[in-house]
Amino acid sequence: MCNETMYDLLYVGIDDTDSSEGMCTTYIGAVVMDELKDYGFKLIGYPRLIRLNPFARFKTRGNGAISFKLVIKSKEEYERAKNLILNCVEELSHLQEENTNPGVVFYKINGVKDYNKEISEVKIQSQLENFSLNAIMNIVSIEESEKLAQEIGAEIVKFKKGRGIIGALAAIGCPLSDKTYELLSYRTPENYGKKRKIKYHSVHEMNKKTYPQTFDNLDEEEGYIAIEPHTPCPILYGIRGETANAVLEAHNMVKTYEPIERIAVYVSNQHTDMHLINSNTISQMEKYKSYITNGTVTDSPHIIEGGHIIFSLEDDSGSIECAAYEPTKGFRNVIKELKKDDKLKVYGGIGEKGTLNLEKIEILEQTKFYKARNPLCKCGKRMKSAGQGKGYKCIKCGFKLRDGVKDLIEVERNIKKGFYEVPPSARRHLSKPLIRIKK
Ligand code: ATP
């Protein structure tokens, strides 16, 4: 006799709750989850922080959306959870801001036998996965999101324009074959907007002990602490790493002079390069999308106003302007050294002006560079010109060479083949750091 208990699993997605004035969707997620737990709900696995297309028009900062899942045993429980979540979103969201248009999605999977399975093992509809990939690589509409929700039987709740349903659906459906974790610690409300009080020395110590299991803690070149945001949001710091344990251990090493209200650990597609589309043809690449593509440098990089470095890359189909913008700091010193005919693999996204904003490059082949020098004398000394059309003479031994030709000497390049990346301070949330690629 089979006596298995069946449960319903409720996936909840939330997005577009904050504004440039403050708040953060991850914080609302943390508050909602803590309240659900206080009311006896069972949450399963780690909540997810999913970064979407960095070129989405209405993003506030990093285009992040969140989702989590909980066990539901009855219709009443479903309604109770839903009300609690919606009240919290309504209360904490920056609804007064024009561009804050929260969306919440409830997607229920009935009759799950083992709710401890990871999200990917419990069958998420492939349509939802595809939608999510699309929201990470392309631009999607509210209408498309509504259509999908109807098709898969997800319930959507829109506040104002409800644009957040795009991110909320994507955060539920995103496949996570590669993943990282982020531990977020939140400030108490009286400290919002004030200077963050983190003991910087403890962050250096933490980095020494936990890197590369945690990464992007410091920007060594710029000499600043990268775990600390510079916006008035509720986050005190965020530690990114390979495992939940790694970020929790690192958090225990960081000391602060101000209280921490709560923490949350999210599993994430951050730093996985999930936004990058492999492209074989430069001419087919489009604005507001991010790519990996190969090409040949067609001109020597040049600096433009604002300190940005620009060069062109071409393949058989066409060419594109590539940029290392000023905030990429020392990365520009590498880009400056590129020469015509160097062969590269570039990683980056195409913005409003059609320029590819570089996140990292791999130098595949370097063109050889030569300098012409007078020929060497048999005595070992380099010869001097003997005058127009008269060949060369040696000032040491007097030897003359009437029809000597110049030697071509290869000049050593200042950069080598291999990967180069922007510093942590300029890194996109989705961009995979080289330390993760090496692993
Ligand atoms: P934060 O990172 O501080 O939480 P944010 O940068 O995530 O803020 P949001 O306030 O969430 O910005 O606004 C982004 C909006 O763009 C959301 O409404 C989201 O649903 C929508 N969006 C996300 N991805 C896409 C996309 N690919 N196409 C169109 N809209 C998108």
Side-chain angles (χ1 to χ4, degrees), residues 15-18 25 51-53 56 58-64 134-135 138-140 163-167:
D15 196 16
D16 207 343
T17 60
D18 53 11
T25 305
R51 298 287 177 179
L52 305 166
N53 189 342
F58 294 102
K59 69 170 189 168
T60 312
R61 284 179 287 267
N63 204 7
N134 209 20
N138 296 311
I139 302 296
V140 294
R163 185 175 292 111
I165 62 166
I166 301 170

Side-chain angles (χ1 to χ4, degrees), residues 239-294:
I239 302 175
R240 295 172 182 200
E242 295 294 339
T243 62
N245 273 346
V247 293
L248 275 161
E249 274 174 30
H251 158 70
N252 288 330
M253 295 176 202
V254 173
K255 304 285 171 254
T256 64
Y257 300 101
E258 66 171 81
I260 291 174
E261 187 200 74
R262 69 185 81 219
I263 61 164
V265 176
Y266 282 91
V267 61
S268 179
N269 66 344
Q270 289 177 152
H271 307 302
T272 61
D273 273 352
M274 206 178 196
H275 60 315
L276 300 176
I277 303 165
N278 271 303
S279 162
N280 295 325
T281 40
I282 287 179
S283 64
Q284 281 178 5
M285 301 197 314
E286 295 169 17
K287 270 191 204 176
Y288 312 127
K289 297 186 186 180
S290 304
Y291 294 96
I292 306 177
T293 196
N294 286 12

Side-chain angles (χ1 to χ4, degrees), residues 59-128:
K59 69 170 189 168
T60 312
R61 284 179 287 267
N63 204 7
I66 67 123
S67 71
F68 56 85
K69 56 179 173 173
L70 64 152
V71 176
I72 293 288
K73 296 189 192 126
S74 65
K75 201 164 178 295
E76 293 68 42
E77 267 198 9
Y78 177 84
E79 288 303 323
R80 232 178 327 129
K82 204 176 104 180
N83 285 337
L84 188 153
I85 294 162
L86 293 177
N87 285 341
C88 219
V89 169
E90 183 162 19
E91 193 184 315
L92 292 173
S93 294
H94 275 204
L95 290 169
Q96 70 282 7
E97 300 294 328
E98 194 195 336
N99 272 337
T100 300
N101 292 287
V104 183
V105 172
F106 300 95
Y107 176 52
K108 195 150 69 76
I109 297 188
N110 300 326
V112 173
K113 284 185 209 144
D114 180 0
Y115 55 67
N116 281 314
K117 282 191 173 176
E118 257 308 296
I119 190 165
S120 52
E121 290 173 52
V122 175
K123 194 76 204 109
I124 282 277
Q125 306 243 15
S126 58
Q127 282 154 286
L128 185 51

Side-chain angles (χ1 to χ4, degrees), residues 209-228:
K209 289 188 180 134
T210 64
Y211 179 86
Q213 276 300 99
T214 68
F215 49 83
D216 283 5
N217 298 313
L218 306 172
D219 190 318
E220 312 259 9
E221 187 189 325
E222 291 299 297
Y224 88 91
I225 303 292
I227 63 170
E228 174 185 9

Side-chain angles (χ1 to χ4, degrees), residues 186-197:
Y186 299 103
R187 321 180 77 183
T188 49
E190 71 274 12
N191 284 322
Y192 291 175
K194 294 187 189 155
K195 187 176 158 32
R196 289 171 172 82
K197 292 184 183 155

Side-chain angles (χ1 to χ4, degrees), residues 408-422:
L408 283 181
I409 294 172
E410 192 178 333
V411 179
E412 210 183 313
R413 299 281 303 271
N414 291 332
I415 45 169
K416 303 210 167 348
K417 283 205 284 191
F419 280 102
Y420 296 89
E421 66 182 344
V422 303

Side-chain angles (χ1 to χ4, degrees), residues 17-36:
T17 60
D18 53 11
S19 75
S20 51
E21 301 303 310
M23 202 28 69
C24 174
T25 305
T26 69
Y27 176 70
I28 295 187
V31 173
V32 166
M33 288 185 286
D34 285 347
E35 283 202 18
L36 284 166

